[in-house]
């Protein structure tokens, strides 16, 4: 029983080492390195897009909270336009 157990353990360790060796050899080949660099470029692009989207969302939220328009000028609200119209009517009469 003991010899069979050690045989199976040794065979399993050999298979594990062989699989890990093949993966390492593939990863260090030209195609493997090209794939890893390509994946890093795609990941960096996705990260850049996520940061840009978060920045745009934060800016939109901040502009809504402060009442600024899209180009930094204060946006007119309906209450502001009503006051302007009332002042024009009063000033002309």
């Amino acid at each position: 029983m003991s010899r069979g157990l050690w045989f199976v353990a040794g065979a399993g360790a050999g298979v594990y080492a062989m699989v890990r060796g093949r993966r390492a050899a593939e990863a260090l080949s030209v195609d493997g390195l090209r794939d890893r660099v390509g994946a890093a470029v795609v990941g960096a692009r996705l990260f850049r897009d996520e940061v840009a989207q978060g920045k745009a969302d934060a800016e939109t939220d901040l502009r809504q909270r402060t009442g600024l328009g899209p180009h930094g000028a204060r946006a007119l609200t309906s209450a502001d336009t009503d006051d302007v119209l009332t002042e024009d009517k009063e000033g002309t009469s």
Side-chain angles (χ1 to χ4, degrees):
M1 174 87 176
S2 176
R3 287 184 185 180
L5 178 67
W6 285 112
F7 177 77
V8 170
V15 169
Y16 177 77
M18 196 166 48
V19 168
R20 296 288 291 180
R22 282 186 184 167
R23 285 184 183 173
E26 191 276 327
L28 295 176
S29 70
V30 174
D31 290 335
L33 291 174
R34 187 179 303 132
D35 289 344
R36 288 181 185 270
V37 169
V41 168
V42 169
R45 187 176 301 136
L46 287 173
F47 179 72
R48 181 195 65 201
D49 293 344
E50 288 291 327
V51 168
Q53 183 64 41
K55 183 178 168 184
D57 291 344
E59 183 177 356
T60 301
D61 183 46
L62 183 63
R63 287 188 183 278
Q64 286 177 350
R65 284 191 285 149
T66 58
L68 292 177
H71 300 293
R74 284 198 79 52
L76 293 176
T77 61
S78 62
D80 294 339
T81 57
D82 291 342
D83 292 342
V84 171
L85 293 175
T86 305
E87 289 176 8
D88 285 343
K89 288 179 184 177
E90 290 174 359
T92 58
S93 32

